């Protein structure tokens, strides 16, 4: 079998899909995208295409190695996301050719399903207590929200109090036993992260996510001394080398590699195993489309330390299209009692509705994240 063609589709709301074709008619799908940089990643995919055409798609480890190491400059969001989508598609091809789900080829599943959480609210939390009640009523056992608005490097007590009031309202609304993940989204700098982490401690959160930007991860040393809440981080780390120091430093309790950013199934499987050796939990980042979610579930299936999976059904970013729109077997993501089942079909286990993908690609998108500014006019992290 040989790889014959790579085709990319930019589709709403903010995704990039990849189809890899072979001379035996078996097709694999991947989702290589950086949110807000879809066109850039698309170009990177087609640069890597030059090497892949004519190659045996089964040689995934070798192709991954060449795509990563074959360039003098390597790593980073764009390069690794391009590799991620290609890697997902190659695993999809291999699974389909052998009639097996990818998790079977990775040693076999050790769980039948995994807990999922649902996003509530938007970028500026308001009325989130009612939203949380609605999500819990639909059966979810865990939720996540952005924990605060823009926050300067040193900000006011009013900003802190507003964030705390939001979380307090949610905890009161849904009771003591529903998991709450609070995403600081890299909006908070070290001086205020310490304050917020301490003030939120009484609400017994499931985790605090990205309490500081990944490039400021040395600040975690101080933040962990102000809270007993587990610290989660990793959506903006792109390889096992990026995670190496995070794990060895010992300040992070949950890692969140993104299967569309951190090297795909091949690399995230290794990152998960590294984390297991440090007794660190795995919760893959995935506010993306159905291909990315299917890839995450393959790794969740074989990773002992996986405990919860992010998914984007109904997320506030999904304007115009949602994750189920692009697949024919919509039942594959079977949600029940706060869990989603591990797909059992060959490859990724999803059937991409190619005709609909082509139709929506005619519209495409140019999604960009908002640009925020503080009251003094300076740039604010979104």
């Amino acid at each position: 079998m040989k790889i014959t063609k790579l085709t990319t589709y930019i589709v709403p709301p903010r995704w990039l899909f990849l189809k890899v074709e072979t001379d035996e008619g078996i097709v694999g799908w991947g989702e290589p995208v950086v949110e807000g940089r879809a066109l850039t990643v698309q170009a990177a995919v087609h640069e890597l295409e030059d090497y892949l055409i004519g190659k045996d798609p089964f040689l995934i480890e070798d192709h991954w190695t060449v795509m990563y190491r074959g360039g003098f400059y390597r790593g980073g969001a764009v390069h690794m996301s391009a590799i991620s989508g290609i890697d997902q598609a190659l695993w999809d091809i291999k699974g389909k050719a052998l009639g097996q789900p990818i998790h079977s080829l990775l040693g076999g599943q050790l769980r039948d399903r995994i807990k999922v959480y649902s996003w509530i609210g938007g970028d500026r939390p308001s009325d989130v207590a009612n939203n949380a009640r609605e999500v819990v009523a639909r059966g979810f056992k865990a939720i996540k929200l952005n924990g605060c608005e823009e926050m300067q490097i040193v900000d006011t007590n009013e900003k802190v109090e507003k964030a705390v009031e939001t979380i307090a309202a949610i905890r009161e609304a849904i009771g003591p036993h529903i998991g709450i993940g609070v995403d600081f989204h890299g909006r908070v700098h070290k001086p205020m992260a310490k304050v917020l982490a301490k003030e939120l401690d009484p609400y017994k959160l499931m985790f605090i996510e990205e309490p500081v930007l990944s490039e400021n991860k040395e600040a975690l040393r101080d933040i962990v001394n102000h809270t007993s809440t587990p610290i989660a981080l990793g959506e903006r780390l792109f390889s096992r080398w990026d995670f190496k120091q995070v794990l060895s430093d010992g300040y992070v309790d949950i890692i969140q590699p993104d299967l569309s950013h951190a090297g795909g199934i091949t690399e995230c499987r290794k990152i998960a195993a590294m984390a297991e050796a440090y007794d660190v939990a795995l919760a893959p980042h995935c506010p993306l489309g159905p291909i990315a979610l299917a890839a995450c579930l393959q790794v969740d299936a074989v990773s002992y330390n996986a405990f919860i999976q992010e998914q984007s059904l109904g997320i506030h970013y999904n304007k115009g299209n949602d994750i189920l729109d692009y697949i024919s077997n919509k039942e594959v993501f079977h949600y029940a009692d706060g869990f989603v089942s591990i797909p059992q079909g060959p490859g990724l286990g999803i059937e991409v509705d190619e005709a609909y993908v082509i139709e929506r690609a005619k519209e495409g998108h140019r999604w960009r994240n908002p640009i925020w500014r503080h009251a003094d006019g300076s740039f604010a992290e979104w």
Side-chain angles (χ1 to χ4, degrees):
M1 189 188 301
K2 304 297 181 186
I3 298 169
T4 57
K5 187 178 181 182
L6 278 69
T7 307
T8 48
Y9 302 95
I10 292 179
V11 296
R14 56 176 192 160
W15 303 332
L16 173 65
F17 294 167
L18 166 67
K19 180 177 73 170
V20 177
E21 299 178 57
T22 68
D23 60 355
E24 294 188 14
I26 298 175
V27 170
W29 288 88
E31 193 168 334
V33 69
V34 174
E35 300 91 310
R37 298 286 185 270
L39 289 165
T40 314
V41 180
Q42 182 181 47
V45 168
H46 290 295
E47 287 178 334
L48 294 169
E49 178 183 18
D50 295 344
Y51 170 77
L52 292 166
I53 297 298
K55 299 293 194 301
D56 179 353
F58 274 31
L59 302 179
I60 299 171
E61 190 71 35
D62 184 58
H63 297 330
W64 197 101
T65 300
V66 173
M67 287 189 293
Y68 180 78
R69 297 183 182 273
F72 184 79
Y73 300 101
R74 57 188 69 165
V78 171
H79 181 205
M80 296 303 291
S81 296
I83 291 175
S84 297
I86 294 169
D87 181 82
Q88 293 166 7
L90 295 181
W91 277 108
D92 195 27
I93 289 169
K94 192 165 191 174
K96 289 173 178 174
L98 298 175
Q100 294 290 322
I102 292 166
H103 55 75
S104 178
L105 306 182
L106 295 173
Q109 66 187 61
L110 51 74
R111 58 173 50 84
D112 301 318
R113 57 184 188 158
I114 189 166
K115 185 184 286 188
V116 289
Y117 61 79
S118 180
W119 269 88
I120 62 169
D123 289 314
R124 298 181 178 273
S126 62
D127 235 2
V128 289
N130 287 333
N131 293 339
R133 286 192 194 96
E134 292 171 6
V135 166
V136 172
R138 297 204 307 268
F140 286 95
K141 307 296 186 186
I143 62 173
K144 190 171 88 171
L145 77 158
N146 285 320
C148 63
E149 298 180 4
E150 68 274 22
M151 190 167 283
Q152 284 189 298
I153 189 165
V154 176
D155 216 314
T156 64
N157 287 331
E158 182 183 7
K159 286 279 188 73
V160 174
E161 289 168 3
K162 186 174 182 180
V164 173
E165 286 169 9
T166 298
I167 304 306
I170 293 173
R171 179 53 79 200
E172 183 179 357
I174 62 177
H177 300 134
I178 299 296
I180 302 175
V182 174
D183 190 354
F184 285 12
H185 219 250
R187 296 171 181 172
V188 187
H189 299 269
K190 177 182 173 183
M192 302 310 296
K194 294 190 294 184
V195 175
L196 264 179
K198 183 177 181 179
E199 292 295 321
L200 291 174
D201 220 29
Y203 302 100
K204 302 189 183 302
L205 304 177
M206 181 170 59
F207 57 76
I208 293 172
E209 180 173 338
E210 276 199 325
V212 290
L213 289 164
S214 294
E215 54 259 42
N216 297 327
K217 55 185 174 291
E218 68 282 350
L220 297 172
R221 178 189 60 236
D222 297 326
I223 294 168
V224 296
N225 292 323
H226 290 78
T227 181
S228 61
T229 302
I231 302 296
L233 181 144
E235 69 188 70
R236 289 187 262 197
L237 302 176
F238 308 113
S239 71
R240 72 197 92 149
W241 297 280
D242 287 350
F243 279 94
K244 181 168 61 172
Q245 185 180 348
V246 167
L247 292 170
S248 63
D249 284 348
Y251 304 127
V252 172
D253 306 292
I254 303 161
I255 59 160
Q256 301 170 302
D258 189 306
L259 272 285
S260 284
H261 299 333
I265 292 168
T266 297
E267 185 73 348
C268 288
R269 171 79 157 119
K270 296 172 183 178
I271 292 168
M274 288 172 61
E276 184 182 351
Y278 284 92
D279 208 22
V280 169
L282 174 71
H285 180 255
C286 190
L288 295 172
I291 303 169
L293 178 57
C296 287
L297 294 174
Q298 305 299 325
V299 173
D300 290 331
V302 298
S303 300
Y304 172 77
N305 51 336
F307 82 102
I308 200 164
Q309 177 59 58
E310 181 174 23
Q311 53 81 44
S312 72
L313 186 64
I315 198 171
H316 47 288
Y317 301 120
N318 292 354
K319 306 295 185 184
N321 281 108
D322 214 323
I323 62 172
L324 299 182
D325 296 344
Y326 291 103
I327 56 175
S328 302
N329 57 335
K330 302 182 191 302
E331 73 286 351
V332 68
F333 299 130
H334 177 63
Y335 296 89
D337 301 320
F339 289 79
V340 66
S341 299
I342 301 298
Q344 297 301 313
L348 288 168
I350 57 172
E351 297 169 8
V352 175
D353 186 343
E354 185 174 354
Y356 188 70
V357 169
I358 293 170
E359 177 187 336
R360 297 302 289 140
K362 294 175 183 176
E363 177 179 326
H365 68 82
R366 291 185 69 86
W367 186 87
R368 300 290 184 267
N369 65 248
I371 301 298
W372 286 1
R373 292 191 180 274
H374 295 298
D376 64 4
S378 63
F379 176 81
E381 293 284 351
W382 169 71

